[in-house]
């Protein structure tokens, strides 16, 4: 017997069947920081980014060819602008994770959930609630402690790059919500154009570089190829299609809540698989970041 899916009011069994793939997306995204760190060096960042997204782009173009042809010139242009911002996000994140721990990277990037409502409030002139401001303060304190796990020292370049990446993600979210021409665009075609623009940026940056995509790929062993395919197939293709599938079967807030567990999985992967250690201060900071972002998400909602 079939039933009508009501967002936010699914039967327990059906809700679980919808939640599980979304939770798996949060898991693979959390593990992506360690995977990127494992296969990338400061010298090969751009080459790895070209390879990662060039692999999935033909699949996205094939799947969304009809919707791509339906885009207007304005939608192509504005999606391309969003793609330029996206390329900056990936550059900051990938260079950042090379120069810090996967645990720090996953926890610091979660500040996007705090930065976005603050930036939106600044743009609209609507003052955030006191509870949200308190949550933001808890998160910032958590990041300070997290980056000082070995004693109070200057934050690493990677920590600062991840902080900039969180700010860039905020700019991207605000741009998507305020550029009218892309708001009615199909999600698949919009993502495809953005990734295409980002790959074009990476390809230009890779021109003449010591570590070209081809030489980097030729130097990969089985471990590096496995990591690259994990980033391409699971962290990009699988994640995108699951999100598109899930938001049609449950509420966006439920999807957001499940994806908000990403920093937990990033910390878990870094500690369990990467052998990373936080120390007492770092552990306290990680807990505060998670608590602050969860509190802030509820307050902003």
């Amino acid at each position: 017997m079939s039933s009508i899916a009501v967002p936010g009011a699914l039967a327990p069994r059906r809700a679980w069947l919808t939640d599980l793939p979304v939770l798996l997306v949060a898991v693979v995204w959390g593990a992506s920081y360690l995977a990127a760190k494992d296969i990338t060096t400061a010298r090969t960042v751009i080459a790895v980014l070209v390879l990662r997204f060039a692999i999935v782009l033909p699949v996205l173009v094939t799947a969304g060819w009809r919707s791509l042809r339906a885009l207007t010139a304005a939608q192509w242009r504005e999606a391309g602008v969003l793609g330029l911002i996206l390329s900056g996000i990936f550059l900051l994140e990938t260079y950042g994770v090379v120069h810090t721990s996967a645990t720090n990277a996953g926890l610091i990037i979660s500040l996007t959930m705090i930065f976005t409502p603050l930036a939106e409030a600044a743009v609209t002139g609507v003052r955030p609630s006191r509870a949200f401001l308190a949550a933001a303060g808890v998160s910032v304190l958590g990041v300070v402690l997290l980056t000082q796990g070995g004693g109070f020292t200057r934050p690493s370049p990677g920590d600062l790059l991840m902080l900039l990446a969180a700010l860039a993600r905020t700019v991207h979210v605000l741009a998507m919500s305020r550029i009218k021409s892309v708001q009615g665009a199909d999600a698949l075609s919009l993502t495809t154009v953005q990734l295409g623009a980002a790959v074009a940026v990476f390809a230009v940056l890779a021109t003449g570089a010591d570590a070209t995509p081809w030489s980097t790929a030729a130097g990969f062993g089985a471990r590096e190829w496995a990591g690259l395919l994990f980033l391409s197939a699971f962290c990009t293709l699988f994640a995108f299609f699951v999100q598109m599938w899930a938001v049609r079967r449950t509420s966006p807030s439920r999807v957001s809540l499940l994806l908000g567990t990403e920093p937990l999985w990033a910390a878990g992967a870094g500690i369990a698989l990467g052998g990373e250690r936080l120390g007492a201060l770092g552990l306290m900071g990680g807990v505060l970041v998670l608590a602050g972002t969860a509190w802030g998400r509820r307050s902003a909602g």
Side-chain angles (χ1 to χ4, degrees):
M1 178 182 295
S2 61
S3 60
I4 298 175
V6 180
L10 300 178
R13 176 178 171 79
R14 186 160 184 180
W16 172 248
L17 292 176
T18 303
D19 289 350
L20 183 58
V22 179
L23 190 60
L24 286 176
V25 170
V27 172
V28 297
W29 275 356
S32 69
Y33 299 100
L34 184 62
K37 187 175 182 67
D38 193 44
I39 69 170
T40 312
T41 66
R43 183 171 170 269
T44 62
V45 165
I46 295 172
V48 169
L49 286 171
V50 172
L51 294 170
R52 173 180 174 179
F53 295 110
I55 289 173
V56 302
L57 198 57
V59 179
L60 292 175
V61 170
T62 302
W65 180 247
R66 183 174 298 177
S67 58
L68 281 171
R69 294 179 63 186
L71 291 178
T72 65
Q75 288 173 330
W76 274 93
R77 184 172 58 254
E78 302 302 346
V81 171
L82 291 172
L84 295 180
I85 301 173
L86 192 66
S87 67
I89 294 171
F90 283 119
L91 285 168
L92 288 168
E93 286 185 355
T94 312
Y95 274 113
V97 79
V98 167
H99 295 291
T100 189
S101 67
T103 303
N104 278 23
L107 290 169
I108 293 172
I109 202 68
S110 69
L111 287 178
T112 302
M113 290 181 281
I114 294 294
F115 291 160
T116 301
L118 286 175
E120 190 172 18
V123 170
T124 61
V126 178
R127 182 180 173 82
S129 68
R130 290 183 178 180
F132 180 81
L133 292 175
V138 169
S139 297
V140 171
L141 176 60
V143 169
V144 171
L145 294 178
L146 177 69
T147 59
Q148 306 303 314
F152 285 96
T153 59
R154 183 177 301 175
S156 74
D159 294 332
L160 296 176
L161 287 171
M162 294 308 300
L163 193 60
L164 289 174
L167 290 170
R169 278 196 185 189
T170 298
V171 172
H172 187 258
V173 171
L174 286 182
M176 286 191 67
S177 67
R178 299 183 72 82
I179 297 177
K180 293 182 179 180
S181 63
V182 302
Q183 291 174 7
D186 173 77
L188 175 58
S189 58
L190 182 60
T191 299
T192 302
V193 174
Q194 288 186 77
L195 286 181
V199 170
V201 171
F202 302 146
V204 169
L205 293 176
T207 303
D210 292 336
T212 65
W214 328 119
S215 63
T216 300
F220 275 179
R223 179 188 180 94
E224 288 80 10
W225 275 110
L228 182 66
L229 292 175
F230 171 75
L231 290 170
S232 297
F234 289 95
C235 301
T236 307
L237 275 182
F238 169 74
F240 172 73
F241 284 110
V242 165
Q243 286 182 86
M244 284 214 317
W245 170 82
V247 295
R248 289 169 170 80
R249 288 162 175 78
T250 186
S251 66
S253 60
R254 191 178 182 93
V255 172
S256 176
L257 184 64
L258 291 167
L259 293 179
T261 63
E262 175 190 346
L264 282 173
W265 303 110
I271 293 170
L273 302 177
E276 298 174 355
R277 294 291 179 267
L278 286 176
L281 280 178
L283 181 60
M284 184 184 301
V287 170
L288 288 177
V289 169
L290 294 173
T293 52
W295 183 15
R297 191 185 306 116
R298 289 195 301 270
S299 301

